[in-house]
Amino acid sequence: MSHVYIEKISAHEDQTVTLKGWIYNIRSSGKIHFLQLRDGTAIIQCVMGKNDVSEEIFESAKRLTQESSVEVTGVVRKDTRSALGYELHATGLKILHISEEYPITPKEHGTAFLMDHRHLWIRSRRQHAILRIRAEIIRAIRDYLDDNDFLLVDSPIFTPAACEGTSTLFETAYFSQKAYLTQSGQLYNEANAMAFGKVYCFGPTFRAEKSKTRRHLTEFWMVEPEVAFLELDGLMDLTESFVRYIVTRVLQNRQTELKEIERDTTQLEKITQPFPRLDYGEAVRQLHALGSDIVYGDDFGADDETMLTKQYETPILVNRYPAAIKAFYMKGDPAATDRALCVDMLAPEGYGEIIGGGQRQDDFATLLAAVHAHGLPQESMDWYLDLRRYGSVPHAGFGLGVERTVAWICGLPHVRETIPYPRMLEKLVP
RNA sequence: UCCGACAUAGCUCAGUGGUAGAGCAGGCGACUGUUAAUCGCCUGGUCGUAGGUUCAAGUCCUACUGUCGGAGCCA
């Protein structure tokens, strides 16, 4: 009897097959058992009538508990009563392990309890759907970049210094020195772009921010493309095309999962329209018209971001923020000296910033002054300054936060469900 | 770090200063089409911790711990 996966069951209609998995739920009417079997790919109902199997097997099925591991043999039948479209009419059952009392019951649970049992929670239907969508998003990210001639060049996790604010670094012992977990691959990416032209890095990044919000993790995944000879307008084109591709791929390949989590996909289908581009000054004017008390020159608060994005059905590209509130490596706007050539993509429906990026400072003297102005040690930045000594060119790049993107596409209230094992403030287990 | 709420059975929650409760899970039993199955019976408690007020505290007060939500910061 061949072992098949439930996901591929339609190819085996009317055949006898063996399924291997775990009991998701069991119901019985005395002379007929209904086993909900999950094998990691999907869930199928196995029907076991008293007359279809031996007395011994029928009796043994009564011992099954939630999450017990089994092998079920039977005939695949089409059945309209099943959500999957197929059922297995069982002819055999092999019990591998009877599960102890399983903590996650079919009824409701609180978030704290579920997070403490995250290693078991990921067996649930909803978590399956979310993590499959995450995997699709990651595949779409890689496919887009690989197919558009970006070269994957990895950046290190251990770094000697900060590239964002120094207050949010995780410090670790590194033999006789201190090392910090990377907050961004950005600085290395710029060196890689000078070497290869179009590059990206993709991996986990770490920020020791004491943030307790629905949008923050201390460990999160970020994809960061960086391109030589690219300027701000071209960068905005790139972010728009990139995000549109990701959403389209999820809509194409993960309809079942979107339905499972009850995502309203009409919102996602609107991303085919162009993304509005707002200059920072224009964004502030709009916010004032909407009743915000934001001061020109300040960064947007959470309320401002939500208020602004609710005006639009697609993500928006807010560009040219005040240079004073942006990182030291941003290039200034020649048309307005107090502004930086940067862009943030704000997702709709109040999901906030999913992309931050910009054109990098390519002038040696200006960058050196910025390093000093930010109080950064020049010796640890010397290699980065070299990029402006040896064939400096205009270049730009951005970072997209994977978990925020997953949260937006899935319509989730919190990023903690978008990653298998979220790392949050004081949260390290499991 | 700041502001707010909450902490009762394995889980989700009721509990009006006066005898500790329900649903789910678990155990036993019934049921040949169930879909978070249903029905009957049973098991299950240091009411977060430490103090205090009171004849009497799960309930009121204080501190601590933990969790959740929000702010700032950011992707």
mmCIF file of all heavy atoms in Angstrom, chain A residues 15-48:
data_model
loop_
_atom_site.group_PDB
_atom_site.id
_atom_site.type_symbol
_atom_site.label_atom_id
_atom_site.label_comp_id
_atom_site.label_asym_id
_atom_site.label_seq_id
_atom_site.Cartn_x
_atom_site.Cartn_y
_atom_site.Cartn_z
ATOM 1 N N GLN A 15 -8.682 4.535 -5.285
ATOM 2 C CA GLN A 15 -7.548 3.643 -5.023
ATOM 3 C C GLN A 15 -7.421 3.395 -3.521
ATOM 4 O O GLN A 15 -7.875 4.194 -2.714
ATOM 5 C CB GLN A 15 -6.239 4.267 -5.522
ATOM 6 C CG GLN A 15 -6.163 4.420 -7.031
ATOM 7 C CD GLN A 15 -4.940 5.214 -7.448
ATOM 8 O OE1 GLN A 15 -4.007 5.404 -6.674
ATOM 9 N NE2 GLN A 15 -4.944 5.678 -8.689
ATOM 10 N N THR A 16 -6.761 2.292 -3.181
ATOM 11 C CA THR A 16 -6.445 2.022 -1.780
ATOM 12 C C THR A 16 -5.077 2.622 -1.471
ATOM 13 O O THR A 16 -4.106 2.338 -2.170
ATOM 14 C CB THR A 16 -6.432 0.509 -1.517
ATOM 15 O OG1 THR A 16 -7.744 0.004 -1.776
ATOM 16 C CG2 THR A 16 -6.065 0.217 -0.066
ATOM 17 N N VAL A 17 -5.034 3.481 -0.441
ATOM 18 C CA VAL A 17 -3.783 4.148 -0.086
ATOM 19 C C VAL A 17 -3.596 4.109 1.430
ATOM 20 O O VAL A 17 -4.519 3.799 2.177
ATOM 21 C CB VAL A 17 -3.775 5.630 -0.549
ATOM 22 C CG1 VAL A 17 -3.922 5.741 -2.057
ATOM 23 C CG2 VAL A 17 -4.863 6.423 0.168
ATOM 24 N N THR A 18 -2.377 4.457 1.863
ATOM 25 C CA THR A 18 -2.094 4.600 3.293
ATOM 26 C C THR A 18 -1.745 6.055 3.583
ATOM 27 O O THR A 18 -0.921 6.649 2.890
ATOM 28 C CB THR A 18 -0.925 3.689 3.714
ATOM 29 O OG1 THR A 18 -1.335 2.331 3.510
ATOM 30 C CG2 THR A 18 -0.567 3.889 5.180
ATOM 31 N N LEU A 19 -2.396 6.601 4.600
ATOM 32 C CA LEU A 19 -2.094 7.960 5.061
ATOM 33 C C LEU A 19 -1.379 7.850 6.402
ATOM 34 O O LEU A 19 -1.706 6.978 7.212
ATOM 35 C CB LEU A 19 -3.389 8.764 5.241
ATOM 36 C CG LEU A 19 -4.305 8.877 4.013
ATOM 37 C CD1 LEU A 19 -5.576 9.639 4.380
ATOM 38 C CD2 LEU A 19 -3.589 9.571 2.862
ATOM 39 N N LYS A 20 -0.393 8.727 6.623
ATOM 40 C CA LYS A 20 0.333 8.741 7.890
ATOM 41 C C LYS A 20 0.199 10.125 8.510
ATOM 42 O O LYS A 20 0.509 11.115 7.842
ATOM 43 C CB LYS A 20 1.815 8.412 7.668
ATOM 44 C CG LYS A 20 2.030 7.067 6.986
ATOM 45 C CD LYS A 20 3.499 6.717 6.889
ATOM 46 C CE LYS A 20 3.665 5.399 6.139
ATOM 47 N NZ LYS A 20 5.026 4.872 6.220
ATOM 48 N N GLY A 21 -0.242 10.163 9.750
ATOM 49 C CA GLY A 21 -0.420 11.484 10.348
ATOM 50 C C GLY A 21 -0.869 11.433 11.790
ATOM 51 O O GLY A 21 -0.568 10.491 12.520
ATOM 52 N N TRP A 22 -1.611 12.486 12.165
ATOM 53 C CA TRP A 22 -2.036 12.678 13.545
ATOM 54 C C TRP A 22 -3.545 12.911 13.592
ATOM 55 O O TRP A 22 -4.105 13.513 12.679
ATOM 56 C CB TRP A 22 -1.336 13.907 14.135
ATOM 57 C CG TRP A 22 0.144 13.796 14.178
ATOM 58 C CD1 TRP A 22 0.909 13.419 15.246
ATOM 59 C CD2 TRP A 22 1.078 14.091 13.125
ATOM 60 N NE1 TRP A 22 2.239 13.452 14.917
ATOM 61 C CE2 TRP A 22 2.381 13.857 13.623
ATOM 62 C CE3 TRP A 22 0.946 14.512 11.798
ATOM 63 C CZ2 TRP A 22 3.530 14.031 12.860
ATOM 64 C CZ3 TRP A 22 2.093 14.691 11.025
ATOM 65 C CH2 TRP A 22 3.358 14.455 11.557
ATOM 66 N N ILE A 23 -4.173 12.453 14.671
ATOM 67 C CA ILE A 23 -5.616 12.630 14.828
ATOM 68 C C ILE A 23 -5.909 14.080 15.217
ATOM 69 O O ILE A 23 -5.476 14.548 16.264
ATOM 70 C CB ILE A 23 -6.169 11.688 15.925
ATOM 71 C CG1 ILE A 23 -5.913 10.222 15.552
ATOM 72 C CG2 ILE A 23 -7.656 11.948 16.164
ATOM 73 C CD1 ILE A 23 -6.644 9.748 14.317
ATOM 74 N N TYR A 24 -6.624 14.788 14.355
ATOM 75 C CA TYR A 24 -6.959 16.187 14.629
ATOM 76 C C TYR A 24 -8.181 16.253 15.527
ATOM 77 O O TYR A 24 -8.290 17.108 16.404
ATOM 78 C CB TYR A 24 -7.214 16.929 13.318
ATOM 79 C CG TYR A 24 -7.163 18.430 13.455
ATOM 80 C CD1 TYR A 24 -5.943 19.080 13.579
ATOM 81 C CD2 TYR A 24 -8.317 19.205 13.453
ATOM 82 C CE1 TYR A 24 -5.869 20.448 13.717
ATOM 83 C CE2 TYR A 24 -8.251 20.582 13.586
ATOM 84 C CZ TYR A 24 -7.024 21.195 13.713
ATOM 85 O OH TYR A 24 -6.960 22.568 13.852
ATOM 86 N N ASN A 25 -9.111 15.324 15.291
ATOM 87 C CA ASN A 25 -10.317 15.250 16.111
ATOM 88 C C ASN A 25 -10.955 13.897 15.809
ATOM 89 O O ASN A 25 -10.689 13.300 14.763
ATOM 90 C CB ASN A 25 -11.289 16.388 15.770
ATOM 91 C CG ASN A 25 -12.309 16.604 16.871
ATOM 92 O OD1 ASN A 25 -12.324 15.890 17.875
ATOM 93 N ND2 ASN A 25 -13.175 17.588 16.674
ATOM 94 N N ILE A 26 -11.763 13.419 16.715
ATOM 95 C CA ILE A 26 -12.451 12.147 16.485
ATOM 96 C C ILE A 26 -13.890 12.251 16.986
ATOM 97 O O ILE A 26 -14.149 12.831 18.032
ATOM 98 C CB ILE A 26 -11.709 10.970 17.156
ATOM 99 C CG1 ILE A 26 -12.413 9.645 16.885
ATOM 100 C CG2 ILE A 26 -11.519 11.193 18.646
ATOM 101 C CD1 ILE A 26 -11.562 8.427 17.177
ATOM 102 N N ARG A 27 -14.807 11.753 16.162
ATOM 103 C CA ARG A 27 -16.221 11.697 16.549
ATOM 104 C C ARG A 27 -16.673 10.278 16.297
ATOM 105 O O ARG A 27 -16.150 9.584 15.423
ATOM 106 C CB ARG A 27 -17.052 12.672 15.718
ATOM 107 C CG ARG A 27 -16.833 14.113 16.061
ATOM 108 C CD ARG A 27 -17.685 15.014 15.193
ATOM 109 N NE ARG A 27 -17.148 15.110 13.851
ATOM 110 C CZ ARG A 27 -16.242 16.021 13.484
ATOM 111 N NH1 ARG A 27 -15.790 16.895 14.333
ATOM 112 N NH2 ARG A 27 -15.800 16.046 12.252
ATOM 113 N N SER A 28 -17.657 9.850 17.059
ATOM 114 C CA SER A 28 -18.120 8.485 16.869
ATOM 115 C C SER A 28 -19.618 8.399 17.102
ATOM 116 O O SER A 28 -20.160 9.109 17.939
ATOM 117 C CB SER A 28 -17.410 7.547 17.846
ATOM 118 O OG SER A 28 -17.927 6.247 17.686
ATOM 119 N N SER A 29 -20.271 7.567 16.311
ATOM 120 C CA SER A 29 -21.696 7.307 16.535
ATOM 121 C C SER A 29 -21.912 5.859 16.965
ATOM 122 O O SER A 29 -22.895 5.249 16.603
ATOM 123 C CB SER A 29 -22.492 7.594 15.256
ATOM 124 O OG SER A 29 -22.346 8.941 14.911
ATOM 125 N N GLY A 30 -20.942 5.326 17.646
ATOM 126 C CA GLY A 30 -21.095 3.967 18.164
ATOM 127 C C GLY A 30 -20.694 2.906 17.173
ATOM 128 O O GLY A 30 -19.806 2.106 17.430
ATOM 129 N N LYS A 31 -21.344 2.885 16.014
ATOM 130 C CA LYS A 31 -21.024 1.877 15.010
ATOM 131 C C LYS A 31 -20.242 2.472 13.837
ATOM 132 O O LYS A 31 -20.001 1.812 12.849
ATOM 133 C CB LYS A 31 -22.321 1.226 14.495
ATOM 134 C CG LYS A 31 -23.170 0.624 15.621
ATOM 135 C CD LYS A 31 -23.191 -0.864 15.541
ATOM 136 C CE LYS A 31 -23.774 -1.557 16.763
ATOM 137 N NZ LYS A 31 -24.761 -0.814 17.549
ATOM 138 N N ILE A 32 -19.963 3.770 13.927
ATOM 139 C CA ILE A 32 -19.185 4.422 12.864
ATOM 140 C C ILE A 32 -18.301 5.521 13.487
ATOM 141 O O ILE A 32 -18.789 6.365 14.233
ATOM 142 C CB ILE A 32 -20.120 4.972 11.746
ATOM 143 C CG1 ILE A 32 -19.314 5.590 10.608
ATOM 144 C CG2 ILE A 32 -21.129 5.960 12.274
ATOM 145 C CD1 ILE A 32 -20.139 5.833 9.349
ATOM 146 N N HIS A 33 -16.996 5.439 13.190
ATOM 147 C CA HIS A 33 -16.059 6.450 13.697
ATOM 148 C C HIS A 33 -15.710 7.423 12.566
ATOM 149 O O HIS A 33 -15.567 7.015 11.417
ATOM 150 C CB HIS A 33 -14.737 5.813 14.148
ATOM 151 C CG HIS A 33 -14.870 4.826 15.253
ATOM 152 N ND1 HIS A 33 -15.620 5.042 16.377
ATOM 153 C CD2 HIS A 33 -14.308 3.595 15.407
ATOM 154 C CE1 HIS A 33 -15.512 3.991 17.185
ATOM 155 N NE2 HIS A 33 -14.737 3.082 16.612
ATOM 156 N N PHE A 34 -15.551 8.686 12.946
ATOM 157 C CA PHE A 34 -15.065 9.694 11.998
ATOM 158 C C PHE A 34 -13.747 10.233 12.531
ATOM 159 O O PHE A 34 -13.717 10.910 13.546
ATOM 160 C CB PHE A 34 -16.068 10.842 11.860
ATOM 161 C CG PHE A 34 -17.419 10.398 11.365
ATOM 162 C CD1 PHE A 34 -18.438 10.130 12.252
ATOM 163 C CD2 PHE A 34 -17.642 10.228 10.004
ATOM 164 C CE1 PHE A 34 -19.678 9.703 11.794
ATOM 165 C CE2 PHE A 34 -18.872 9.809 9.547
ATOM 166 C CZ PHE A 34 -19.899 9.534 10.444
ATOM 167 N N LEU A 35 -12.655 9.903 11.871
ATOM 168 C CA LEU A 35 -11.342 10.374 12.305
ATOM 169 C C LEU A 35 -10.926 11.534 11.415
ATOM 170 O O LEU A 35 -10.809 11.371 10.203
ATOM 171 C CB LEU A 35 -10.297 9.260 12.171
ATOM 172 C CG LEU A 35 -10.653 7.863 12.660
ATOM 173 C CD1 LEU A 35 -9.481 6.910 12.422
ATOM 174 C CD2 LEU A 35 -11.017 7.889 14.127
ATOM 175 N N GLN A 36 -10.688 12.693 12.018
ATOM 176 C CA GLN A 36 -10.115 13.808 11.257
ATOM 177 C C GLN A 36 -8.612 13.608 11.329
ATOM 178 O O GLN A 36 -8.020 13.710 12.398
ATOM 179 C CB GLN A 36 -10.509 15.158 11.868
ATOM 180 C CG GLN A 36 -11.997 15.344 12.104
ATOM 181 C CD GLN A 36 -12.803 15.356 10.827
ATOM 182 O OE1 GLN A 36 -12.347 15.880 9.817
ATOM 183 N NE2 GLN A 36 -13.975 14.768 10.855
ATOM 184 N N LEU A 37 -8.007 13.322 10.179
ATOM 185 C CA LEU A 37 -6.575 13.033 10.151
ATOM 186 C C LEU A 37 -5.824 14.183 9.486
ATOM 187 O O LEU A 37 -6.176 14.616 8.396
ATOM 188 C CB LEU A 37 -6.326 11.747 9.365
ATOM 189 C CG LEU A 37 -4.869 11.279 9.324
ATOM 190 C CD1 LEU A 37 -4.478 10.651 10.645
ATOM 191 C CD2 LEU A 37 -4.638 10.300 8.178
ATOM 192 N N ARG A 38 -4.766 14.638 10.163
ATOM 193 C CA ARG A 38 -3.924 15.669 9.521
ATOM 194 C C ARG A 38 -2.542 15.065 9.304
ATOM 195 O O ARG A 38 -2.055 14.291 10.132
ATOM 196 C CB ARG A 38 -3.876 16.936 10.360
ATOM 197 C CG ARG A 38 -3.010 16.874 11.540
ATOM 198 C CD ARG A 38 -2.819 18.168 12.281
ATOM 199 N NE ARG A 38 -1.927 17.818 13.394
ATOM 200 C CZ ARG A 38 -0.607 17.814 13.273
ATOM 201 N NH1 ARG A 38 -0.012 18.224 12.188
ATOM 202 N NH2 ARG A 38 0.129 17.410 14.285
ATOM 203 N N ASP A 39 -1.928 15.384 8.172
ATOM 204 C CA ASP A 39 -0.578 14.854 7.913
ATOM 205 C C ASP A 39 0.411 15.974 7.604
ATOM 206 O O ASP A 39 1.505 15.720 7.117
ATOM 207 C CB ASP A 39 -0.614 13.815 6.784
ATOM 208 C CG ASP A 39 -0.817 14.451 5.410
ATOM 209 O OD1 ASP A 39 -1.127 15.659 5.340
ATOM 210 O OD2 ASP A 39 -0.674 13.719 4.421
ATOM 211 N N GLY A 40 0.041 17.195 7.915
ATOM 212 C CA GLY A 40 0.937 18.323 7.661
ATOM 213 C C GLY A 40 0.603 19.025 6.356
ATOM 214 O O GLY A 40 0.862 20.207 6.213
ATOM 215 N N THR A 41 0.017 18.291 5.403
ATOM 216 C CA THR A 41 -0.311 18.928 4.129
ATOM 217 C C THR A 41 -1.767 19.365 4.083
ATOM 218 O O THR A 41 -2.104 20.312 3.386
ATOM 219 C CB THR A 41 -0.044 17.987 2.936
ATOM 220 O OG1 THR A 41 -0.994 16.905 2.974
ATOM 221 C CG2 THR A 41 1.369 17.406 2.998
ATOM 222 N N ALA A 42 -2.634 18.638 4.788
ATOM 223 C CA ALA A 42 -4.062 18.959 4.806
ATOM 224 C C ALA A 42 -4.740 18.060 5.832
ATOM 225 O O ALA A 42 -4.079 17.275 6.516
ATOM 226 C CB ALA A 42 -4.682 18.743 3.427
ATOM 227 N N ILE A 43 -6.044 18.206 5.942
ATOM 228 C CA ILE A 43 -6.835 17.380 6.865
ATOM 229 C C ILE A 43 -7.889 16.647 6.066
ATOM 230 O O ILE A 43 -8.537 17.229 5.191
ATOM 231 C CB ILE A 43 -7.480 18.251 7.964
ATOM 232 C CG1 ILE A 43 -6.392 18.876 8.841
ATOM 233 C CG2 ILE A 43 -8.458 17.434 8.809
ATOM 234 C CD1 ILE A 43 -6.904 19.832 9.897
ATOM 235 N N ILE A 44 -8.048 15.360 6.348
ATOM 236 C CA ILE A 44 -9.062 14.574 5.651
ATOM 237 C C ILE A 44 -9.886 13.823 6.685
ATOM 238 O O ILE A 44 -9.397 13.499 7.767
ATOM 239 C CB ILE A 44 -8.423 13.578 4.651
ATOM 240 C CG1 ILE A 44 -9.488 12.993 3.710
ATOM 241 C CG2 ILE A 44 -7.676 12.467 5.386
ATOM 242 C CD1 ILE A 44 -8.897 12.198 2.559
ATOM 243 N N GLN A 45 -11.148 13.554 6.351
ATOM 244 C CA GLN A 45 -11.979 12.739 7.241
ATOM 245 C C GLN A 45 -11.888 11.274 6.817
ATOM 246 O O GLN A 45 -12.140 10.939 5.668
ATOM 247 C CB GLN A 45 -13.422 13.214 7.201
ATOM 248 C CG GLN A 45 -14.343 12.298 8.003
ATOM 249 C CD GLN A 45 -15.625 12.979 8.421
ATOM 250 O OE1 GLN A 45 -15.680 13.702 9.405
ATOM 251 N NE2 GLN A 45 -16.676 12.750 7.660
ATOM 252 N N CYS A 46 -11.508 10.427 7.779
ATOM 253 C CA CYS A 46 -11.477 8.993 7.543
ATOM 254 C C CYS A 46 -12.731 8.385 8.186
ATOM 255 O O CYS A 46 -12.981 8.602 9.367
ATOM 256 C CB CYS A 46 -10.246 8.358 8.159
ATOM 257 S SG CYS A 46 -8.708 9.077 7.578
ATOM 258 N N VAL A 47 -13.509 7.673 7.404
ATOM 259 C CA VAL A 47 -14.751 7.071 7.893
ATOM 260 C C VAL A 47 -14.504 5.585 8.141
ATOM 261 O O VAL A 47 -14.005 4.886 7.263
ATOM 262 C CB VAL A 47 -15.879 7.231 6.858
ATOM 263 C CG1 VAL A 47 -17.202 6.693 7.411
ATOM 264 C CG2 VAL A 47 -16.038 8.695 6.475
ATOM 265 N N MET A 48 -14.817 5.133 9.357
ATOM 266 C CA MET A 48 -14.596 3.733 9.696
ATOM 267 C C MET A 48 -15.891 3.125 10.228
ATOM 268 O O MET A 48 -16.281 3.351 11.374
ATOM 269 C CB MET A 48 -13.483 3.606 10.739
ATOM 270 C CG MET A 48 -13.114 2.170 11.073
ATOM 271 S SD MET A 48 -11.944 2.076 12.459
ATOM 272 C CE MET A 48 -10.450 2.615 11.655
#
